[in-house]
Amino acid sequence: MQATPEHTQGGTDVTGETAPRRPGPVAWVLLLPIKFYRKAISPFLPPACRFYPSCSAYAVEALTRHGAGRGSYLALRRLLRCGPWTPPGRDPVPEEFSWRHRMPETPIEE
């Protein structure tokens, strides 16, 4: 049986194409409060995020890409950086997990 994008957890399939990532069961549960915030609370608040993508979008991508444990760590680390002491800008979810934060190579103004 050939692997199709629906049967993989992220990585590459037999054809070499990147398959869409799906969160695991624990990550899916952790995504529920984020989805609630994005639908019920965020529309009533003014946009004030210092980073691109927003912290909630970052958390969704981190949990989906890296799983519950590492994704939660990345999301929490991002929330702790969200303050006036950190310069704003583009801060994507890293492709590979690392315990240390690395600034992106690409400047925000392209």
Side-chain angles (χ1 to χ4, degrees):
M1 178 175 134
Q2 281 190 339
T4 61
E6 292 82 28
H7 295 109
T8 59
Q9 279 293 323
T12 56
D13 62 7
V14 179
T15 62
E17 296 179 13
T18 302
R21 297 175 189 258
R22 290 182 287 172
V26 177
W28 187 84
V29 171
L30 293 173
L31 287 171
L32 292 176
I34 298 169
K35 290 179 181 183
F36 173 77
Y37 166 79
R38 293 178 87 182
K39 291 202 182 255
I41 298 171
S42 182
F44 299 107
L45 300 174
C49 194
R50 303 174 54 79
F51 296 109
Y52 177 82
S54 68
C55 291
S56 61
Y58 185 96
V60 168
E61 187 175 349
L63 287 167
T64 303
R65 181 179 294 175
H66 296 290
R70 292 176 177 179
S72 295
Y73 170 76
L74 290 171
L76 180 63
R77 187 175 72 184
R78 168 72 176 270
L79 286 173
L80 292 174
R81 281 196 317 266
C82 193
W85 54 85
T86 306
R90 187 172 177 274
D91 184 26
V93 176
E95 290 292 326
E96 297 204 12
F97 179 79
S98 172
W99 291 104
R100 297 182 53 174
H101 174 67
R102 293 185 181 101
M103 293 302 290
E105 302 282 329
T106 311
I108 192 168
E109 298 148 6
E110 294 180 355

